[in-house]
């Protein structure tokens, strides 16, 4: 059995590859996400994207921030071998919208903004609002878990090396 620190260092690249693949899928085939969440209306890149490229023991970081920011610089970084290490996402189902950041190294969800819930008018309403908040949090966690599970199945398949990697490279260079 692997020591936890050894396992973490050996496989921490998977989260960054997941975020890179996620950005690619958002831009090229977002409709495929509906098999993991039938309620999904859209999943889009929000107002922050961080990419890192490590070469010759030097780390280059590209951070793109701002609403409606151009992601061209990120695509250039991808062509140079960078991977996405953090992405801000906007997730919509019906009339509800969640926004959150996802870090590749740990898959931590941060800056989670949930859709509005009903007001608490009486003490009896409090339990319902808490349960609704828990449901809304679980919805985001479920989406990330389902997408990561799909990614891992793809990553260990022959399709990853034979098709997906070349499609990601082609996408990054064609924009």
């Amino acid at each position: 059995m692997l020591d936890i620190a050894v396992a973490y260092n050996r496989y921490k690249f998977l989260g960054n590859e997941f975020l890179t693949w996620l950005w690619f899928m958002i831009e090229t085939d977002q409709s495929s996400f509906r098999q993991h969440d039938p309620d999904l209306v859209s999943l889009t890149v929000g107002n922050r994207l961080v990419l890192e490229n490590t070469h010759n023991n030097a780390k280059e970081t590209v951070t793109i921030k701002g609403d409606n920011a151009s992601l061209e610089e990120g695509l250039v970084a991808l062509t140079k071998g960078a991977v996405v290490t953090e992405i801000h996402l906007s997730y919509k189902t019906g009339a509800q919208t969640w926004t959150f950041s996802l870090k590749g190294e740990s898959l931590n969800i941060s800056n989670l903004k949930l859709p509005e819930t009903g007001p608490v008018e009486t003490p009896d309403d409090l339990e319902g609002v808490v349960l609704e908040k828990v449901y809304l949090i679980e919805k985001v966690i479920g989406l990330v878990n389902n997408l990561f599970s799909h990614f891992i199945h793809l990553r260990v398949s022959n399709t990853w090396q034979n098709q997906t990697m070349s499609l990601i490279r082609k996408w990054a260079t064609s924009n």
Side-chain angles (χ1 to χ4, degrees):
M1 180 169 223
L2 286 177
D3 178 71
I4 191 76
V6 172
Y8 176 79
N9 286 323
R10 185 178 293 173
Y11 298 110
K12 68 181 179 181
F13 71 93
L14 282 172
N16 296 336
E17 283 187 4
F18 167 62
L19 295 186
T20 304
W21 169 83
L22 186 60
W23 181 26
F24 162 72
M25 292 298 292
I26 286 170
E27 298 291 330
T28 62
D29 188 19
Q30 191 173 128
S31 63
S32 68
F33 293 154
R34 287 190 185 87
Q35 67 182 324
H36 306 291
D37 183 353
D39 300 331
L40 179 99
V41 171
S42 70
L43 183 65
T44 57
V45 176
N47 60 9
R48 181 175 165 87
L49 185 68
V50 180
L51 297 100
E52 284 184 7
N53 191 359
T54 305
H55 51 82
N56 299 331
N57 293 327
K59 186 188 292 187
E60 177 184 41
T61 302
V62 175
T63 302
I64 302 167
K65 291 196 268 186
D67 295 329
N68 301 319
S70 173
L71 301 176
E72 292 170 3
E73 195 172 332
L75 292 169
V76 170
L78 284 181
T79 62
K80 294 179 179 181
V83 291
V84 178
T85 58
E86 184 179 342
I87 191 168
H88 186 262
L89 297 168
S90 177
Y91 165 48
K92 293 181 183 175
T93 64
Q96 296 180 310
T97 302
W98 294 255
T99 60
F100 60 99
S101 294
L102 193 57
K103 293 190 182 274
E105 186 175 287
S106 60
L107 294 182
N108 282 346
I109 295 172
S110 61
N111 302 321
L112 176 60
K113 184 171 189 273
L114 300 173
E116 292 294 320
T117 57
V120 178
E121 296 174 355
T122 67
D124 294 337
D125 294 344
L126 186 58
E127 182 179 349
V129 170
V130 168
L131 290 174
E132 187 177 5
K133 292 273 187 190
V134 168
Y135 167 77
L136 293 171
I137 292 168
E138 286 179 344
K139 187 96 169 138
V140 168
I141 292 169
L143 174 72
V144 172
N145 284 344
N146 289 338
L147 293 176
F148 186 70
S149 177
H150 176 76
F151 166 76
I152 290 298
H153 283 91
L154 176 65
R155 181 65 176 83
V156 298
S157 73
N158 291 334
T159 305
W160 180 259
Q161 285 295 349
N162 297 339
Q163 294 174 353
T164 308
M165 290 291 294
S166 62
L167 289 172
I168 293 172
R169 281 189 209 100
K170 184 178 179 183
W171 164 72
T173 58
S174 67
N175 288 314

